[in-house]
Amino acid sequence: MLTGEFRNSVDEKGRLMIPSKIRGEIAGNILILTRGIDTCLWLFPPEEWKKISDNLMESTSPFNAKARLIQRRIVAPAQEVEVDKAGRINIPASLREYAGLKKEAVILGIKKYIEIWDVDMYEAYWKENEKVFQNAAEELGGLVSF
């Protein structure tokens, strides 16, 4: 299960260490990296990416403007990245630029995929969305039980 919040540095070559706890949950050394929503990157195991991208392409039409936006934003920039022997992935410059990745990254395991954020962007996101989260949690209170 891909879960946890971690912080690691992005080196001058654009490489990011994937935490060993997360690496241990991934079969193989190939992952799919793409633009996410909320100015982060999404990192998927290949089998999860196949499910999502297939579903997205099968449920949308290139003749629909909104569908093309989603396809161009999420499917088109997706790239295979390899986890090297040191446990790092190389984040292509275009994806680093999109996510504003500079020196330090936040790596979030969200069960089926991983989000990668620039640390400052992540902190700004939470400052802006804390009230939204509180309201969403309140609404879910009646739907989720422990």
Side-chain angles (χ1 to χ4, degrees), residues 105-121:
V106 176
I107 303 157
L108 302 172
I110 307 182
K111 199 165 179 178
K112 293 185 176 187
Y113 71 101
I114 299 158
E115 287 186 349
I116 300 171
W117 290 78
D118 174 77
V119 70
D120 294 332
M121 300 280 271

Side-chain angles (χ1 to χ4, degrees), residues 24-86:
E25 296 296 322
I26 298 168
N29 63 341
I30 300 294
L31 297 167
I32 310 300
L33 183 66
T34 193
R35 292 179 179 180
I37 298 174
D38 299 320
T39 319
C40 67
L41 299 176
W42 287 344
L43 188 62
F44 291 92
E47 63 280 359
E48 281 301 320
W49 174 249
K50 180 167 177 24
K51 287 180 207 172
I52 288 170
S53 61
D54 286 353
N55 187 305
L56 210 114
M57 296 306 294
E58 290 167 7
S59 63
T60 60
S61 167
F63 297 103
N64 179 287
K66 288 182 181 177
R68 287 192 310 273
L69 282 172
I70 297 293
Q71 293 166 359
R72 289 174 184 149
R73 171 73 178 272
I74 296 172
V75 177
Q79 298 185 42
E80 280 190 2
V81 292
E82 186 173 355
V83 180
D84 69 14
K85 291 180 183 187

